[in-house]
Amino acid sequence: MSQQQRIDLLGRLFTEPDQPLLRSRVAAAIVLLYAQPVSRIVRLTLDDVIVDNDTVRLRLGDPPSPVPGPVAELLLSWIDQRTNMNTATNREARWLFPGRRAGQPIHPETLGALIKTLGIPSTVGRVGVLHQHVLELPPPVVADALGYHHKTTTRAAIHASTDWSRYASGPRARKPSGWTPRTRDS
């Protein structure tokens, strides 16, 4: 996914009035901004959202990542309106995305399907975002900020690079007849 495609998808989350559930939009924004897999998003708790005056940060790694204004508004609105909170066993749930089962977050497949209904491919989006981050920042910095292993971000940086080191041009061309390699003497 290109940077422009990612920006366009993020814009749709905030500007199209007929977008469905707030939960889906918040989760999709986390995928598109922070390259988080759905399996990690469902494990986020209210304690991972840090509100300090006018600043909202999301604890994915160390230090917590700042949340841009429009996303922060969506995130805080979602926290105030979280679903699955009416049952007696879920009233005190700390999950950012509570599930139907008491004390459990939403299932990753369920949240992934909700993100997909928005037209956002979570895996492709996540990989594209990670590649964009490692092109702009050193891989160890990205790893610390987003909670990835350093080897993962280093691999992503290698795959995102444009040095053509892994380019395979196809079958090797044969040497032209009569061709001999140059030596130092020639």
Side-chain angles (χ1 to χ4, degrees):
M1 174 180 294
S2 73
Q3 177 75 341
Q4 188 59 50
Q5 289 172 316
R6 181 171 71 104
I7 290 169
D8 291 345
L9 287 172
L10 275 166
R12 268 192 28 229
L13 294 176
F14 306 115
T15 59
E16 291 184 5
D18 62 339
Q19 286 293 334
L21 300 173
L22 187 57
R23 169 180 54 198
S24 308
R25 294 166 58 200
V26 170
I30 293 171
V31 168
L32 293 173
L33 286 175
Y34 304 108
Q36 295 299 301
V38 175
S39 60
R40 286 190 64 206
I41 293 172
V42 300
R43 306 300 297 175
L44 292 172
T45 67
L46 296 178
D47 299 326
D48 293 319
V49 179
I50 303 159
V51 181
D52 186 26
N53 296 326
D54 292 336
T55 305
V56 177
R57 293 176 290 145
L58 189 58
R59 184 178 303 125
L60 303 167
D62 188 36
S65 299
V67 180
V71 179
E73 289 176 28
L74 272 183
L75 181 59
L76 296 176
S77 293
W78 165 246
I79 289 172
D80 290 340
Q81 303 172 31
R82 288 180 305 152
T83 55
N84 296 332
M85 300 301 296
N86 293 333
T87 63
T89 54
N90 258 1
R91 287 180 201 255
E92 302 300 318
R94 301 295 298 163
W95 299 111
L96 185 57
F97 298 99
R100 290 185 182 173
R101 293 179 53 198
Q104 296 296 313
I106 191 171
H107 195 276
E109 287 180 12
T110 303
L111 190 59
L114 291 171
I115 293 170
K116 191 175 182 178
T117 62
L118 296 175
I120 296 171
S122 60
T123 303
V124 172
R126 179 177 56 83
V127 171
V129 174
L130 186 57
H131 285 178
Q132 187 63 40
H133 285 313
V134 297
L135 286 173
E136 295 173 1
L137 296 167
V141 172
V142 174
D144 289 344
L146 299 181
Y148 276 90
H149 192 278
H150 296 273
K151 288 182 180 180
T152 302
T153 55
T154 300
R155 261 193 322 273
I158 291 167
H159 289 290
S161 71
T162 56
D163 67 358
W164 299 92
S165 64
R166 295 183 174 212
Y167 176 63
S169 61
R172 298 278 184 226
R174 295 183 184 183
K175 295 182 225 173
S177 62
W179 180 82
T180 54
R182 286 176 69 170
T183 61
R184 281 190 227 180
D185 298 341
S186 36

